[in-house]
Amino acid sequence: MSIKSEENFIKVFLEFVEVWIHQTVYLKNIYPRSIFMKKKKYRTPVLMSVQPWVNEYIVKTLSSIEDYVRSSEPELRRIVLVLSEGDLVKEKVILELDLKSIMKNIAAVDEYLVQLELSFVSLILRMNQVLSDMKPTNTELQWWIELETTEMAALQLSKSLDWGVASSSSTSSSTGSIIPVMGVDRPIKLQLYIETFGA
Amino acid sequence: MRGRRNRPTDDVWDGHGGYMGIKKAKLVEQFKEQAKVEEKNKGIFSGVSIFVNGWTNPSSDELKRIMMSHGGIYHHYYNSHKTTHIIASNLPDVKLRQLKGHELIVKPEWITACLTAERLVDYKPFLLFTHQSKSQGTINFKPVQSNQDSQEKISNVSDASSSENIEPGPEEQKEIDNQESIQETGNTVDNAKKNQSSPFKAKDATDPRFMGEFFQNSRLHHISTMGSNAKEYVNSMREQHDGTFPGRENLVHLMNSDENPGKTIMHIDMDCFFVSVGLRNRPNLVGKPVAVAHSRGNKPSRGEEEDRIVAEQRKSELLRYKEKLEKRTRKPPDQGSSSVMGSFGWKIENIDGLSSFSELASCSYEAREKGVRNGMFLGPALKLCPELVTIPYDFPGYEEVSRILYDTVASYTLDIQAVSCDEMFVNLTPLLSQLKMDALKFVAHLREEIRIKTGCKCSVGLSHNIFLSRMATKKAKPNGQYLLEEAGVSQVLRELKVTDLPGVGRSLQRKLESLNISTCGDLQKITLGQLQAEVGNKTGSQLYNFCRGIDNRKLELDQIRKTVSAEVNYGIRFSGWDDAKQFLTQLSGEVSDRLTKLGTRGKCITLKLMIRAENAPAETAKFLGHGVCDNISRSIQLSTPTADREKIYKEIFSLFKQTEAPPVDIRGVGISVSKLEEKRTNQNNSILKFVKVNETVVKPTDSAARPTETDQSELQLDPQVLAALPEDIRNEVLSEYKRTTENYGSDLNQPGPSGRGMNKTVKQEPSTSVSLSDISFSQIDSDILNELPKELRDEITTHFRPKATEARIEVIPGPSVRLSPVKKEIVTKKKRGRPRKVVSAPCVNPVRSAVSVIESDPLPSIEENDDLSNDCEMKSNYDDTEAEEISETPNFCGSSKLEELRPLIKEWLASTIQPLEEDMNMMSTFLEGLVSNRKIHVVSIIFKCFHRNISKLSSPGGWIRSYEDLVKKVQQKMVECYGKPMHIVHRFHKDV
């Protein structure tokens, strides 16, 4: 039972991460709107890219994460979507979680993943709200995914994809601020917030 | 036949599934069918399978019928794995050479002897060939499992007090006992007998039927179950009692004593309970040294060489246990060995390769005279007392006698604290003073009654407290009674050994020995402080009191079961995850069944594992035993109590995975469920009642206190509340109410809602009208008021009467109302409480909110009421662990949920112009807590809420300053935790 539910959970969770990435990229206006298609996820319309290159990046990244999450004792603290303008990191959209404890407890709660789905919906909706409230950036943005995890994990992750040390971690500046988006406690602990850089 | 058997054959004829295999199976089936038809005179030959070889008298056909009718099995063809005995009167050399050496060849006279004796007699005198092991040279000798089975079965079924050593090499049996007694962790290691369904194969935990049989036959399981049954039984007797004590009528002739005996506690203990019960049916053994044990004696010698080898093996096994013990006591082996050996040396001295390791559960006083003690191994005991007779366990008998014992005592009084199936404490004080009896006369009467009813003797100790009565019983034994009077106490205690004190075990004894303490006299010389420093606070003070004969414990009359568990440490050999899963499912089911039987559910689930120690061999010396193990346990708290097997299994399995122990190395598994919910909801729930009553009272004020609705005069008084009030108070409330409509608002300038200020003022600063804002008279539950002692009641009413005016004002909605509108009782009162300690409530249930209400209850009087405050202490203890769990979530005034906080903040803002620093500090601690808990979204919402509401204020000056301070503090914390400040709006348009 629990192994199966773990399996399910991993799938569902990674799907959420995927949706979250697509939606963020969409909301940040990084690509032309035409490459996004409306889809229904968690009973909510979300926009997901249909551009093969973009998708390839996302899929590869996620499948690498998936491989890692399936290993024993995965440890993952943050999944970060970094937005930068040229060399300057502008924003980080941060999904904070404690995968280790989640994997320990997931079997026990929320067997039918009802709560999980609900929290995904609210996370996505709330993110829509916050991101669209923020000042739109007109400049060309680049984006990539970063993970915050352990060295061990880095080794394991690199098996499936070439992960490098995140360059943006060094460029932390004390200017800017943190915009909380939302936190969920049950069934799993998740927190979404945005870190902005510069004035 | 045999010649054909050994001939090289083709598969069709003799191989597996071949003609012979089918024929043999068919013959066995036929035999079984016929045996069913025969009347079942079962017993003596159950587990015995014979093969008749050659001519015999009685003839093979007769033997077949005998086996049929007495539960045995007759093999037409010899099967070296299944046949236990070969019956022959003469074997030619040819046949002898075909033997492998381990067969038992018995003369047919054995069968007839068994029949005449009506039990399985020792086959040894009937062996056709003795000492065959010598003549056959060395053989790879593996004990046949079926032999052990049959032996155990016999000990179980037959009344085999003198059937000795049927087993050819029951090494496993001995080893089982060996481990059972050396292993001191208190875990249950039991002999699981695996005979009922398949007599020829030892079951291990992978067999689905294993569990049921394990618990059915486990000795320690029975003993502990009987103990808790006794407790439950006393409880149920007390519940169903109609108030009459039939036994008392027989006591008339004893009612003559005038003197008042004072407090008297009686301790009843049956004399060598297991033995006495066993002797009820064996009058011929009365007066002889008797012991209860599984084994019947030492095993027969197998020749010097082999004996020596076995002795070596045992020595090494003992050494391993010793090492472990030393490790546990953290002493270097060279120093520790003497004391470790000293403490259980008497157990293992006198042991050689042949000694039985079966533990004596109980032994008669005749045996004790020879130096035999309970818990000794049978081997050494036999050396001390060769004529010692062992009898098997008789669990139904124990239960029966125990039940009679409790019934008898309960016919006089119900002030009983059950200790175990044969031991209890009874408070005789009320009984003796009511009936004016002399304690000793009553006890003599009682003991005689018990003796007649049960046929077993008991000893009784009397004294004025629990501890001393137990000591008195020691003096009384055997079959006596002893009244330990205060005058004699010091004398008795001075010579008492510390090991006789309750709670002094091996490790404590060792510790005390190192302090040169062996008797209570020595102990008395040590100061309390010293003692506590050595052995810990609680034990220290307990010892300090005990050695002076002081014992303040009260009889625990209502013993509530605290845990329900099931544990199996025998036969656990998982080959992989599947086995483990299956077994865990079963064990979870067992625990769940037990919970359901008891009608309770638990919140805390614990998994205990015994894992093969690193250096221990994969296969233990004891057959399917657990060997040397490391013990670990893991537990998990659930949010709601459960008794559901699926849920338990789910938790247990995830705990099991967490331990990362390889299933192959698991040697013992235990599941226990604790934090049981209280079964009887009608008891001990005074707080619940209190809260419920209050909640109904609260509602009106809730609606009344909304700041915006200024004029709703009548609505503010709940007719229900009014109705509940005593008439005079009701009138008063009504009149006051009318008056206050003119007065409200008068306290606009009162200081803000300092929680602390508020609760103090209720009592110490009566001039501050503010204080009463959160307790209007209508909120005081009249029921509770009535239950309070008179002085307190008066105090409350006097407090309220003169200030009723102000109090009313506070309740009335309007700009002046300062406090939380929703759930006034709960939220308001928490306000002054220590916010971090209060249990926050992700899901507020009545009990929890009850805790917070009581903890910081504004009624000064209630804290002085003993009953209530005890209750709430108890309740809050009950919730303590939960609190620890949840306390990580910071909370403000007990609430951490936004939906609770928002109205609270609104209310707060509306109530005052300038918040008190104290309150602001509380808020900032709360917010900082949230930040470090990484719940910044909540923080941001709270700030927004503040911001929005402050902007709405007409003169927000004071608030803006406080708000900015708050922002500053929280931003500092943000930088600490996140490296950056949060995005917070902190400009106000109205800012001047």
Side-chain angles (χ1 to χ4, degrees), chain B residues 863-886:
Chain B
E863 277 154 36
E864 289 154 30
N865 180 313
D866 266 342
D867 288 342
L868 268 177
S869 59
N870 277 349
D871 262 358
C872 71
E873 240 175 67
M874 191 198 74
K875 276 286 178 190
S876 50
N877 284 344
Y878 173 78
D879 262 15
D880 256 2
T881 39
E882 247 171 13
E884 279 161 28
E885 236 180 291
I886 307 163

PDB file of all heavy atoms in Angstrom, chain B residues 863-886:
ATOM      1  N   GLU B 863      -8.909  28.763  40.670  1.00  0.00           N
ATOM      2  CA  GLU B 863      -7.569  28.248  40.902  1.00  0.00           C
ATOM      3  C   GLU B 863      -7.405  27.768  42.331  1.00  0.00           C
ATOM      4  O   GLU B 863      -6.550  26.971  42.649  1.00  0.00           O
ATOM      5  CB  GLU B 863      -6.531  29.329  40.607  1.00  0.00           C
ATOM      6  CG  GLU B 863      -6.227  29.397  39.122  1.00  0.00           C
ATOM      7  CD  GLU B 863      -5.745  30.735  38.717  1.00  0.00           C
ATOM      8  OE1 GLU B 863      -5.025  31.351  39.517  1.00  0.00           O
ATOM      9  OE2 GLU B 863      -6.107  31.178  37.614  1.00  0.00           O
ATOM     10  N   GLU B 864      -8.248  28.285  43.173  1.00  0.00           N
ATOM     11  CA  GLU B 864      -8.109  27.862  44.561  1.00  0.00           C
ATOM     12  C   GLU B 864      -8.941  26.633  44.878  1.00  0.00           C
ATOM     13  O   GLU B 864      -8.825  26.055  45.930  1.00  0.00           O
ATOM     14  CB  GLU B 864      -8.554  28.997  45.492  1.00  0.00           C
ATOM     15  CG  GLU B 864      -7.581  30.143  45.487  1.00  0.00           C
ATOM     16  CD  GLU B 864      -8.254  31.439  45.840  1.00  0.00           C
ATOM     17  OE1 GLU B 864      -9.237  31.407  46.586  1.00  0.00           O
ATOM     18  OE2 GLU B 864      -7.787  32.471  45.360  1.00  0.00           O
ATOM     19  N   ASN B 865      -9.755  26.281  43.968  1.00  0.00           N
ATOM     20  CA  ASN B 865     -10.563  25.106  44.218  1.00  0.00           C
ATOM     21  C   ASN B 865      -9.751  23.869  43.908  1.00  0.00           C
ATOM     22  O   ASN B 865      -9.302  23.646  42.807  1.00  0.00           O
ATOM     23  CB  ASN B 865     -11.783  25.167  43.299  1.00  0.00           C
ATOM     24  CG  ASN B 865     -12.669  23.977  43.511  1.00  0.00           C
ATOM     25  OD1 ASN B 865     -12.195  22.842  43.562  1.00  0.00           O
ATOM     26  ND2 ASN B 865     -13.931  24.233  43.652  1.00  0.00           N
ATOM     27  N   ASP B 866      -9.598  23.062  44.929  1.00  0.00           N
ATOM     28  CA  ASP B 866      -8.687  21.938  44.797  1.00  0.00           C
ATOM     29  C   ASP B 866      -9.076  20.974  43.690  1.00  0.00           C
ATOM     30  O   ASP B 866      -8.279  20.634  42.848  1.00  0.00           O
ATOM     31  CB  ASP B 866      -8.633  21.154  46.105  1.00  0.00           C
ATOM     32  CG  ASP B 866      -7.477  21.642  46.940  1.00  0.00           C
ATOM     33  OD1 ASP B 866      -6.587  22.295  46.336  1.00  0.00           O
ATOM     34  OD2 ASP B 866      -7.472  21.384  48.122  1.00  0.00           O
ATOM     35  N   ASP B 867     -10.293  20.609  43.747  1.00  0.00           N
ATOM     36  CA  ASP B 867     -10.721  19.577  42.802  1.00  0.00           C
ATOM     37  C   ASP B 867     -10.487  20.018  41.383  1.00  0.00           C
ATOM     38  O   ASP B 867      -9.902  19.315  40.583  1.00  0.00           O
ATOM     39  CB  ASP B 867     -12.207  19.292  42.973  1.00  0.00           C
ATOM     40  CG  ASP B 867     -12.442  18.538  44.257  1.00  0.00           C
ATOM     41  OD1 ASP B 867     -11.449  17.971  44.766  1.00  0.00           O
ATOM     42  OD2 ASP B 867     -13.567  18.535  44.718  1.00  0.00           O
ATOM     43  N   LEU B 868     -10.926  21.224  41.148  1.00  0.00           N
ATOM     44  CA  LEU B 868     -10.847  21.684  39.772  1.00  0.00           C
ATOM     45  C   LEU B 868      -9.426  21.837  39.316  1.00  0.00           C
ATOM     46  O   LEU B 868      -9.056  21.416  38.236  1.00  0.00           O
ATOM     47  CB  LEU B 868     -11.575  23.010  39.638  1.00  0.00           C
ATOM     48  CG  LEU B 868     -13.033  22.852  39.237  1.00  0.00           C
ATOM     49  CD1 LEU B 868     -13.682  24.198  39.210  1.00  0.00           C
ATOM     50  CD2 LEU B 868     -13.125  22.179  37.888  1.00  0.00           C
ATOM     51  N   SER B 869      -8.641  22.423  40.180  1.00  0.00           N
ATOM     52  CA  SER B 869      -7.283  22.668  39.700  1.00  0.00           C
ATOM     53  C   SER B 869      -6.542  21.347  39.555  1.00  0.00           C
ATOM     54  O   SER B 869      -5.720  21.194  38.681  1.00  0.00           O
ATOM     55  CB  SER B 869      -6.542  23.617  40.633  1.00  0.00           C
ATOM     56  OG  SER B 869      -6.495  23.065  41.904  1.00  0.00           O
ATOM     57  N   ASN B 870      -6.865  20.404  40.409  1.00  0.00           N
ATOM     58  CA  ASN B 870      -6.253  19.099  40.210  1.00  0.00           C
ATOM     59  C   ASN B 870      -6.649  18.547  38.872  1.00  0.00           C
ATOM     60  O   ASN B 870      -5.846  18.040  38.121  1.00  0.00           O
ATOM     61  CB  ASN B 870      -6.735  18.119  41.280  1.00  0.00           C
ATOM     62  CG  ASN B 870      -5.925  18.298  42.538  1.00  0.00           C
ATOM     63  OD1 ASN B 870      -4.920  18.994  42.504  1.00  0.00           O
ATOM     64  ND2 ASN B 870      -6.379  17.706  43.607  1.00  0.00           N
ATOM     65  N   ASP B 871      -7.901  18.672  38.644  1.00  0.00           N
ATOM     66  CA  ASP B 871      -8.399  18.158  37.380  1.00  0.00           C
ATOM     67  C   ASP B 871      -7.682  18.782  36.213  1.00  0.00           C
ATOM     68  O   ASP B 871      -7.296  18.119  35.277  1.00  0.00           O
ATOM     69  CB  ASP B 871      -9.884  18.474  37.262  1.00  0.00           C
ATOM     70  CG  ASP B 871     -10.695  17.270  37.668  1.00  0.00           C
ATOM     71  OD1 ASP B 871     -10.072  16.248  37.990  1.00  0.00           O
ATOM     72  OD2 ASP B 871     -11.902  17.376  37.646  1.00  0.00           O
ATOM     73  N   CYS B 872      -7.525  20.085  36.330  1.00  0.00           N
ATOM     74  CA  CYS B 872      -6.950  20.707  35.151  1.00  0.00           C
ATOM     75  C   CYS B 872      -5.471  20.395  35.063  1.00  0.00           C
ATOM     76  O   CYS B 872      -4.919  20.295  33.990  1.00  0.00           O
ATOM     77  CB  CYS B 872      -7.230  22.204  35.113  1.00  0.00           C
ATOM     78  SG  CYS B 872      -6.348  23.131  36.299  1.00  0.00           S
ATOM     79  N   GLU B 873      -4.874  20.156  36.199  1.00  0.00           N
ATOM     80  CA  GLU B 873      -3.481  19.747  36.137  1.00  0.00           C
ATOM     81  C   GLU B 873      -3.386  18.438  35.393  1.00  0.00           C
ATOM     82  O   GLU B 873      -2.600  18.251  34.494  1.00  0.00           O
ATOM     83  CB  GLU B 873      -2.974  19.532  37.552  1.00  0.00           C
ATOM     84  CG  GLU B 873      -1.825  20.430  37.903  1.00  0.00           C
ATOM     85  CD  GLU B 873      -1.484  20.208  39.345  1.00  0.00           C
ATOM     86  OE1 GLU B 873      -1.020  19.113  39.672  1.00  0.00           O
ATOM     87  OE2 GLU B 873      -1.724  21.131  40.119  1.00  0.00           O
ATOM     88  N   MET B 874      -4.258  17.563  35.820  1.00  0.00           N
ATOM     89  CA  MET B 874      -4.252  16.259  35.204  1.00  0.00           C
ATOM     90  C   MET B 874      -4.482  16.379  33.711  1.00  0.00           C
ATOM     91  O   MET B 874      -3.792  15.807  32.911  1.00  0.00           O
ATOM     92  CB  MET B 874      -5.361  15.450  35.840  1.00  0.00           C
ATOM     93  CG  MET B 874      -5.322  14.019  35.498  1.00  0.00           C
ATOM     94  SD  MET B 874      -6.919  13.355  35.872  1.00  0.00           S
ATOM     95  CE  MET B 874      -7.888  14.012  34.568  1.00  0.00           C
ATOM     96  N   LYS B 875      -5.456  17.168  33.394  1.00  0.00           N
ATOM     97  CA  LYS B 875      -5.776  17.319  31.992  1.00  0.00           C
ATOM     98  C   LYS B 875      -4.622  17.908  31.218  1.00  0.00           C
ATOM     99  O   LYS B 875      -4.311  17.474  30.133  1.00  0.00           O
ATOM    100  CB  LYS B 875      -6.987  18.242  31.830  1.00  0.00           C
ATOM    101  CG  LYS B 875      -8.272  17.493  31.994  1.00  0.00           C
ATOM    102  CD  LYS B 875      -8.528  16.649  30.773  1.00  0.00           C
ATOM    103  CE  LYS B 875      -9.798  15.852  30.963  1.00  0.00           C
ATOM    104  NZ  LYS B 875      -9.979  14.851  29.941  1.00  0.00           N
ATOM    105  N   SER B 876      -3.997  18.867  31.829  1.00  0.00           N
ATOM    106  CA  SER B 876      -2.952  19.484  31.033  1.00  0.00           C
ATOM    107  C   SER B 876      -1.760  18.551  30.931  1.00  0.00           C
ATOM    108  O   SER B 876      -1.054  18.563  29.948  1.00  0.00           O
ATOM    109  CB  SER B 876      -2.543  20.837  31.597  1.00  0.00           C
ATOM    110  OG  SER B 876      -2.293  20.725  32.941  1.00  0.00           O
ATOM    111  N   ASN B 877      -1.582  17.715  31.916  1.00  0.00           N
ATOM    112  CA  ASN B 877      -0.534  16.719  31.760  1.00  0.00           C
ATOM    113  C   ASN B 877      -0.859  15.808  30.600  1.00  0.00           C
ATOM    114  O   ASN B 877      -0.031  15.452  29.807  1.00  0.00           O
ATOM    115  CB  ASN B 877      -0.429  15.851  33.012  1.00  0.00           C
ATOM    116  CG  ASN B 877       0.254  16.607  34.108  1.00  0.00           C
ATOM    117  OD1 ASN B 877       0.884  17.627  33.830  1.00  0.00           O
ATOM    118  ND2 ASN B 877       0.106  16.146  35.324  1.00  0.00           N
ATOM    119  N   TYR B 878      -2.101  15.480  30.610  1.00  0.00           N
ATOM    120  CA  TYR B 878      -2.574  14.587  29.559  1.00  0.00           C
ATOM    121  C   TYR B 878      -2.227  15.166  28.206  1.00  0.00           C
ATOM    122  O   TYR B 878      -1.885  14.462  27.276  1.00  0.00           O
ATOM    123  CB  TYR B 878      -4.075  14.462  29.741  1.00  0.00           C
ATOM    124  CG  TYR B 878      -4.792  13.724  28.659  1.00  0.00           C
ATOM    125  CD1 TYR B 878      -4.770  12.352  28.606  1.00  0.00           C
ATOM    126  CD2 TYR B 878      -5.504  14.435  27.711  1.00  0.00           C
ATOM    127  CE1 TYR B 878      -5.446  11.687  27.626  1.00  0.00           C
ATOM    128  CE2 TYR B 878      -6.176  13.777  26.737  1.00  0.00           C
ATOM    129  CZ  TYR B 878      -6.150  12.412  26.685  1.00  0.00           C
ATOM    130  OH  TYR B 878      -6.818  11.757  25.705  1.00  0.00           O
ATOM    131  N   ASP B 879      -2.297  16.459  28.144  1.00  0.00           N
ATOM    132  CA  ASP B 879      -2.062  17.073  26.846  1.00  0.00           C
ATOM    133  C   ASP B 879      -0.620  17.512  26.646  1.00  0.00           C
ATOM    134  O   ASP B 879      -0.274  18.007  25.604  1.00  0.00           O
ATOM    135  CB  ASP B 879      -2.970  18.284  26.671  1.00  0.00           C
ATOM    136  CG  ASP B 879      -4.190  17.896  25.873  1.00  0.00           C
ATOM    137  OD1 ASP B 879      -4.434  16.686  25.738  1.00  0.00           O
ATOM    138  OD2 ASP B 879      -4.846  18.770  25.377  1.00  0.00           O
ATOM    139  N   ASP B 880       0.171  17.327  27.675  1.00  0.00           N
ATOM    140  CA  ASP B 880       1.521  17.869  27.593  1.00  0.00           C
ATOM    141  C   ASP B 880       2.269  17.438  26.358  1.00  0.00           C
ATOM    142  O   ASP B 880       2.833  18.235  25.650  1.00  0.00           O
ATOM    143  CB  ASP B 880       2.319  17.422  28.822  1.00  0.00           C
ATOM    144  CG  ASP B 880       2.443  18.559  29.800  1.00  0.00           C
ATOM    145  OD1 ASP B 880       1.867  19.615  29.487  1.00  0.00           O
ATOM    146  OD2 ASP B 880       3.092  18.381  30.818  1.00  0.00           O
ATOM    147  N   THR B 881       2.263  16.161  26.151  1.00  0.00           N
ATOM    148  CA  THR B 881       3.053  15.650  25.045  1.00  0.00           C
ATOM    149  C   THR B 881       2.555  16.221  23.737  1.00  0.00           C
ATOM    150  O   THR B 881       3.327  16.521  22.850  1.00  0.00           O
ATOM    151  CB  THR B 881       2.959  14.140  25.003  1.00  0.00           C
ATOM    152  OG1 THR B 881       1.619  13.794  25.329  1.00  0.00           O
ATOM    153  CG2 THR B 881       3.914  13.535  25.982  1.00  0.00           C
ATOM    154  N   GLU B 882       1.268  16.357  23.690  1.00  0.00           N
ATOM    155  CA  GLU B 882       0.721  16.933  22.494  1.00  0.00           C
ATOM    156  C   GLU B 882       1.223  18.353  22.326  1.00  0.00           C
ATOM    157  O   GLU B 882       1.583  18.775  21.249  1.00  0.00           O
ATOM    158  CB  GLU B 882      -0.786  16.972  22.618  1.00  0.00           C
ATOM    159  CG  GLU B 882      -1.450  16.058  21.658  1.00  0.00           C
ATOM    160  CD  GLU B 882      -2.923  15.984  21.985  1.00  0.00           C
ATOM    161  OE1 GLU B 882      -3.407  16.805  22.769  1.00  0.00           O
ATOM    162  OE2 GLU B 882      -3.554  15.116  21.463  1.00  0.00           O
ATOM    163  N   ALA B 883       1.226  19.014  23.477  1.00  0.00           N
ATOM    164  CA  ALA B 883       1.665  20.388  23.428  1.00  0.00           C
ATOM    165  C   ALA B 883       3.072  20.474  22.888  1.00  0.00           C
ATOM    166  O   ALA B 883       3.377  21.306  22.056  1.00  0.00           O
ATOM    167  CB  ALA B 883       1.596  20.985  24.818  1.00  0.00           C
ATOM    168  N   GLU B 884       3.898  19.566  23.340  1.00  0.00           N
ATOM    169  CA  GLU B 884       5.278  19.594  22.854  1.00  0.00           C
ATOM    170  C   GLU B 884       5.319  19.446  21.349  1.00  0.00           C
ATOM    171  O   GLU B 884       6.051  20.093  20.655  1.00  0.00           O
ATOM    172  CB  GLU B 884       6.058  18.446  23.479  1.00  0.00           C
ATOM    173  CG  GLU B 884       6.521  18.753  24.871  1.00  0.00           C
ATOM    174  CD  GLU B 884       6.870  17.483  25.615  1.00  0.00           C
ATOM    175  OE1 GLU B 884       7.261  16.504  24.955  1.00  0.00           O
ATOM    176  OE2 GLU B 884       6.737  17.495  26.844  1.00  0.00           O
ATOM    177  N   GLU B 885       4.482  18.566  20.945  1.00  0.00           N
ATOM    178  CA  GLU B 885       4.456  18.293  19.527  1.00  0.00           C
ATOM    179  C   GLU B 885       4.113  19.540  18.722  1.00  0.00           C
ATOM    180  O   GLU B 885       4.702  19.835  17.711  1.00  0.00           O
ATOM    181  CB  GLU B 885       3.336  17.309  19.287  1.00  0.00           C
ATOM    182  CG  GLU B 885       3.713  16.069  18.612  1.00  0.00           C
ATOM    183  CD  GLU B 885       2.443  15.280  18.505  1.00  0.00           C
ATOM    184  OE1 GLU B 885       1.921  14.807  19.514  1.00  0.00           O
ATOM    185  OE2 GLU B 885       1.959  15.191  17.380  1.00  0.00           O
ATOM    186  N   ILE B 886       3.073  20.185  19.210  1.00  0.00           N
ATOM    187  CA  ILE B 886       2.530  21.250  18.393  1.00  0.00           C
ATOM    188  C   ILE B 886       3.181  22.577  18.709  1.00  0.00           C
ATOM    189  O   ILE B 886       3.147  23.490  17.904  1.00  0.00           O
ATOM    190  CB  ILE B 886       1.012  21.349  18.599  1.00  0.00           C
ATOM    191  CG1 ILE B 886       0.422  19.968  18.373  1.00  0.00           C
ATOM    192  CG2 ILE B 886       0.396  22.321  17.642  1.00  0.00           C
ATOM    193  CD1 ILE B 886      -0.942  19.825  18.925  1.00  0.00           C
TER     194      ILE B 886
END
